[in-house]
Amino acid sequence: MISWMQRHNKYLVWTIWVATIAFIGAGFVGWGSYSFGSKAGNIAKVGEIEIPQSRLNMLYSDIYQDYNQRMQGQLDEAKAKELGLVQQAFSIIAVQTKILNFAKENGIIVSDEEVADALKEIRAFQKNGQFSKEIYNSYLKNRRITAKTFETTLREELTIAKTLNLLTVKALPFEEKIVSSAINVADKIAYKVLAPADIEVELKEEELRTYWEEHKENFMTPRAYRLSILWTESAGAEATEEELQKFFAEKSFNYTDSEGKQLTFEEAKAALTNDLKLKKSKKDAQRAYIAFKKGELSSNETLTLPVNDAKLTAEIWEEIRQKSAGDILKPKVANDRYATVKIEEVIEPRVKTFEEAETETRAIYRAKMQQEGLRTLAEKTLRNFDEANTTISEFLTLNQNVNLAPLNFNESLQFTQKLFTSTEEKGMISVVDKVVIYKILEQKVMPADGNRTASIRQTAEQLKKGIFENNFLQMLDKKYPVEVYVQGLTN
């Protein structure tokens, strides 16, 4: 197929993530669950450069917020630890610091003017298209970092970008020709699609019970809590236009659209009103908490909820998990009001009975049997491949969007990508829950599309830069050793 690209595609996936302000609107999450044996606030040394804890905290916070956003607010510290977010953050910083060592050794610098220009270009710090010192200072205060720390990090990231840009070189005509040939290779195939529906599965209760018995530890009830909740409403608080304007001036960087563009006052007004009312009702919630704790107020409701139920926020659930029966949590916002929560009882997970788990067991066991049957059928079909009972495609190329019936568009795209990274003339490729049996009937190089010259040149240059970067990193690994002062930073 595209053997040249196969040998070099590993260079396409190497990246360095530079994350100064990826989540400017998000709150700060510190890395505080580990004990430090650091030297003067530093956590490690790479080459001749010490890495301060503050730098790790900034990047860890950004990564944490990114994962939490993807998990729809369900991330907590325990899960973050399981995912190795601290190790991810430190790995990124270690690579960056190796590059900074190289830059320092070779006199690659970023001036104060370059830092100031980059700072002014950050849209989240702008008001009416101009840099706002008030918004910037408010951001720093909200993230609990100093301007020096932020601007030092920005300078370092600009230095990294400047250093890596030195590895950018133009592609030679011969290199462009190789990439063009690889991209324009075309295959005509005979194929047959097998799906789970092709496999008939008869499920017997005794087999289901046996499967459940063997795997019952996987069928657990969720941990649940019986909670008494005292709600403090914010709807009754007043928010005047003047107060909203002042509040917006202080917190405008928190109000952005899905693309990170700052909202105008009118666009953010509904959210502003809600947030200001919550701020005003905070003291009422605190007074209610004290009265509740003294037994002078009763809860509004008592209910049993599984962990991470949407009635409460991820932040509240994180605190609940760290408390015991009888503890009362300080008020926190949940669904536009304050919740003061008392833990009445912790209900630990238990193995579900077969009756409770039967529907879940049936679905899992059916899928398992269908996949096993599908694999067996696919291997048999491949051994006895008969072109007469297959579909013959047109010539396919890597950059062509096709629909290979009965696959849908996304399945067809996935199949084509796997086909052009395979070295097999005949084989089977898994696509979602299906298996495609194929055989290449004919192969040719299609004429180059003149309109794609710029794209081909860019691809060749990216490949070339990727190779240089890979070799550059290998050289840095040998040149700048990493000395870690703190446990838990590396796997």
Side-chain angles (χ1 to χ4, degrees):
M1 298 277 176
I2 312 178
S3 57
W4 189 88
M5 289 193 73
Q6 289 170 1
R7 290 197 301 271
H8 296 88
N9 92 35
K10 61 183 179 180
Y11 302 120
L12 296 174
V13 299
W14 182 85
T15 58
I16 287 189
W17 178 27
V18 178
T20 307
I21 53 166
F23 300 94
I24 278 183
F28 183 79
V29 180
W31 181 52
S33 58
Y34 295 76
S35 59
F36 290 96
S38 56
K39 300 180 180 181
N42 296 319
I43 57 168
K45 184 179 181 181
V46 177
E48 298 301 318
I49 299 176
E50 302 271 5
I51 300 175
Q53 182 185 338
S54 59
R55 186 172 171 198
L56 178 64
N57 279 346
M58 282 182 66
L59 184 52
Y60 174 73
S61 178
D62 288 338
I63 294 175
Y64 185 100
Q65 298 296 348
D66 181 23
Y67 271 82
N68 195 37
Q69 188 176 55
R70 285 191 246 165
M71 294 170 66
Q72 300 180 331
Q74 299 301 308
L75 181 65
D76 54 43
E77 285 296 335
K79 188 65 176 175
K81 192 171 182 178
E82 181 184 329
L83 291 169
L85 300 194
V86 169
Q87 290 78 15
Q88 288 184 40
F90 180 73
S91 178
I92 292 167
I93 290 173
V95 172
Q96 291 177 333
T97 309
K98 289 173 186 177
I99 298 171
L100 291 172
N101 272 280
F102 179 85
K104 182 179 179 181
E105 195 173 302
N106 290 276
I108 302 169
I109 62 172
V110 171
S111 67
D112 292 343
E113 289 75 14
E114 288 174 296
V115 174
D117 289 343
L119 191 62
K120 290 175 185 176
E121 291 301 313
I122 298 173
R123 287 194 302 172
F125 297 154
Q126 294 178 356
K127 186 174 184 179
N128 299 324
Q130 299 295 318
F131 176 76
S132 169
K133 191 173 182 180
E134 291 75 20
I135 293 175
Y136 178 50
N137 289 336
S138 182
Y139 161 73
L140 295 175
K141 183 179 179 182
N142 198 46
R143 290 289 296 268
R144 302 198 295 277
I145 56 176
T146 64
K148 182 180 178 181
T149 297
F150 181 83
E151 289 162 23
T152 297
T153 302
L154 180 57
R155 185 189 300 274
E156 290 174 347
E157 292 176 356
L158 291 172
T159 303
I160 291 168
K162 183 179 282 191
T163 303
L164 292 179
N165 281 338
L166 296 176
L167 302 177
T168 302
V169 289
K170 291 184 178 181
L172 300 173
F174 174 69
E175 293 165 337
E176 290 182 30
K177 186 176 180 180
I178 291 174
V179 172
S180 178
S181 296
I183 289 176
N184 290 296
V185 166
D187 292 334
K188 176 185 282 190
I189 65 170
Y191 70 95
K192 185 172 185 177
V193 178
L194 304 178
D198 297 323
I199 308 300
E200 292 186 9
V201 177
E202 182 181 351
L203 300 179
K204 298 178 181 178
E205 184 173 327
E206 60 190 60
E207 291 177 346
L208 286 176
R209 283 187 176 274
T210 299
Y211 183 80
W212 167 80
E213 187 67 41
E214 292 173 350
H215 301 86
K216 61 183 179 183
E217 296 302 323
N218 296 329
F219 299 96
M220 304 288 289
T221 61
R223 176 179 278 104
Y225 291 83
R226 190 164 62 86
L227 306 171
S228 292
I229 305 177
L230 174 64
W231 297 102
T232 303
E233 303 291 341
S234 64
E238 294 294 328
T240 66
E241 189 78 6
E242 183 180 351
E243 289 174 322
L244 288 172
Q245 290 281 2
K246 183 179 178 182
F247 190 64
F248 182 67
E250 296 172 352
K251 305 289 184 181
S252 58
F253 65 86
N254 278 334
Y255 301 94
T256 57
D257 62 17
S258 58
E259 298 178 353
K261 183 180 178 182
Q262 189 173 310
L263 300 177
T264 65
F265 173 76
E266 289 301 327
E267 290 170 334
K269 192 170 183 179
L272 277 170
T273 303
N274 183 62
D275 292 346
L276 183 55
K277 285 184 174 184
L278 282 169
K279 181 180 179 182
K280 284 191 165 189
S281 57
K282 186 173 182 178
K283 287 185 178 179
D284 291 337
Q286 290 170 335
R287 284 192 288 267
Y289 160 73
I290 294 170
F292 185 46
K293 200 170 183 180
K294 290 180 178 179
E296 297 170 359
L297 272 180
S298 299
S299 63
N300 301 106
E301 59 179 336
T302 298
L303 63 171
T304 299
L305 298 175
V307 171
N308 294 328
D309 187 275
K311 193 173 185 73
L312 302 176
T313 65
E315 182 186 9
I316 294 175
W317 278 117
E318 171 61 20
E319 188 170 353
I320 287 174
R321 278 192 290 267
Q322 297 174 11
K323 300 292 184 180
S324 305
D327 288 343
I328 300 177
L329 281 60
K330 291 183 179 180
K332 286 184 171 59
V333 176
N335 299 318
D336 300 332
R337 53 182 177 170
Y338 284 92
T340 300
V341 179
K342 180 180 180 181
I343 303 172
E344 300 289 355
E345 182 186 1
V346 181
I347 305 169
E348 296 295 341
R350 61 170 176 78
V351 174
K352 293 179 181 178
T353 64
F354 174 73
E355 288 70 26
E356 290 172 325
E358 183 175 1
T359 300
E360 189 179 357
T361 303
R362 185 178 296 276
I364 293 172
Y365 188 65
R366 177 184 295 278
K368 176 179 179 294
M369 296 303 291
Q370 284 182 324
Q371 285 303 312
E372 289 178 359
L374 195 60
R375 185 77 185 179
T376 301
L377 178 60
E379 291 171 350
K380 181 180 178 181
T381 304
L382 183 60
R383 284 195 304 269
N384 305 295
F385 195 85
D386 182 3
E387 293 176 23
N389 295 318
T390 63
T391 303
I392 307 300
S393 75
E394 299 295 326
F395 276 100
L396 308 175
T397 62
L398 184 62
N399 57 7
Q400 178 185 20
N401 294 328
V402 295
N403 252 57
L404 297 169
L407 301 177
N408 61 34
F409 177 78
N410 288 330
E411 291 168 340
S412 299
L413 179 62
Q414 189 180 132
F415 169 74
T416 305
Q417 290 172 340
K418 290 184 178 181
L419 176 68
F420 281 91
T421 53
S422 171
T423 58
E424 302 295 330
E425 177 190 357
K426 177 181 173 184
M428 54 188 186
I429 292 175
S430 295
V431 180
V432 191
D433 61 342
K434 303 176 181 68
V435 178
V436 182
I437 315 301
Y438 74 91
K439 179 181 179 181
I440 298 174
L441 303 177
E442 191 178 346
Q443 191 175 64
K444 66 180 181 180
V445 177
M446 303 291 282
D449 184 349
N451 295 325
R452 291 179 54 81
T453 302
S455 174
I456 289 170
R457 182 181 299 115
Q458 183 181 25
T459 300
E461 289 173 355
Q462 287 174 343
L463 282 167
K464 197 171 183 179
K465 184 179 179 183
I467 295 170
F468 288 170
E469 287 176 347
N470 183 73
N471 293 333
F472 179 56
L473 273 190
Q474 290 181 11
M475 181 271 288
L476 296 183
D477 288 340
K478 296 176 182 177
K479 189 175 179 66
Y480 304 113
V482 179
E483 182 183 358
V484 178
Y485 305 151
V486 181
Q487 290 184 346
L489 292 181
T490 56
N491 294 319

